[in-house]
Amino acid sequence: MRGVEVRDAHTTDLDATMLYKILKLRVDVFVVEQACAYPELDGRDLEPGTRQLWIERSGDVVATLRVLDEGAALRIGRVATAADARSAGLAGRLMERALTLASDRVVVLDAQSYLARWYEGFGFVRDGDEFIEDGIAHVAMRRRPRPGGPEGGAATSRPLSRA
């Protein structure tokens, strides 16, 4: 997928316009499209070490995810793609970048259950029973570093690099 630039920054390094565009896409997908009634603006975007990853097209954010540093693991969440940009591999590009940034860290996420197989393609495995959140089935998933692989060895608690 040539010509697609994945951008990333700590939330605190974003200007107000870019942060607005990222949050708008998340609200459009999770609150409006999926009709979830939960606090999308949960305060976690402003935690130290939180990174936003995104892809733009014609000045609009069309795909995004966030990475939270939870100490023992990194948490990927809020993976969203605009309806008119789906099936173009954008979320996959974001996941690849997030896992590169994670390096040798354990990574966790709560996947909507119908996407569990997609996440398995990135090395995630189920890590618990299915649960319902806002009427949508989810499953906890975990990706451990691969010993001797490109992700390195044991997990560490160092922060994400400022790529």
Side-chain angles (χ1 to χ4, degrees), residues 78-144:
R78 303 302 205 259
V79 181
T81 304
D84 64 352
R86 293 187 187 141
S87 298
L90 301 180
R93 291 288 304 273
L94 291 171
M95 286 296 297
E96 290 168 1
R97 178 66 166 271
L99 294 173
T100 296
L101 292 171
S103 184
D104 61 349
R105 304 277 305 271
V106 171
V107 181
V108 297
L109 55 82
D110 292 335
Q112 291 185 6
S113 293
Y114 80 97
L115 290 169
R117 290 184 62 87
W118 184 78
Y119 287 108
E120 288 170 357
F122 294 97
F124 286 89
V125 296
R126 291 174 183 257
D127 192 35
D129 294 330
E130 190 171 77
F131 62 94
I132 303 298
E133 185 175 331
D134 283 308
I136 299 172
H138 286 73
V139 62
M141 301 189 82
R142 173 175 300 271
R143 182 180 185 271
R144 289 183 171 80

Side-chain angles (χ1 to χ4, degrees), residues 8-156:
D8 70 270
H10 285 94
T11 306
T12 54
D13 293 337
L14 294 172
D15 66 31
T17 300
M18 183 52 62
L19 181 58
Y20 175 86
K21 289 178 180 183
I22 290 168
L23 297 176
K24 182 180 183 319
L25 175 60
R26 288 176 16 190
V27 168
D28 287 349
V29 171
F30 299 122
V31 177
V32 177
E33 180 182 333
Q34 294 184 353
C36 293
Y38 71 98
E40 170 57 32
L41 303 179
D42 60 1
R44 300 214 60 195
D45 293 292
L46 298 177
E47 292 177 1
T50 299
R51 291 187 81 87
Q52 305 293 331
L53 282 67
W54 72 96
I55 296 171
E56 295 177 69
R57 182 176 63 200
S58 302
D60 293 322
V61 172
V62 294
T64 188
L65 65 74
R66 77 175 176 190
V67 180
L68 303 171
D69 190 337
E70 295 187 336
L74 296 178
R75 175 171 295 280
I76 292 176
R78 303 302 205 259
V79 181
T81 304
D84 64 352
R86 293 187 187 141
S87 298
L90 301 180
R93 291 288 304 273
L94 291 171
M95 286 296 297
E96 290 168 1
R97 178 66 166 271
L99 294 173
T100 296
L101 292 171
S103 184
D104 61 349
R105 304 277 305 271
V106 171
V107 181
V108 297
L109 55 82
D110 292 335
Q112 291 185 6
S113 293
Y114 80 97
L115 290 169
R117 290 184 62 87
W118 184 78
Y119 287 108
E120 288 170 357
F122 294 97
F124 286 89
V125 296
R126 291 174 183 257
D127 192 35
D129 294 330
E130 190 171 77
F131 62 94
I132 303 298
E133 185 175 331
D134 283 308
I136 299 172
H138 286 73
V139 62
M141 301 189 82
R142 173 175 300 271
R143 182 180 185 271
R144 289 183 171 80
R146 296 181 182 125
E151 289 82 27
T156 65

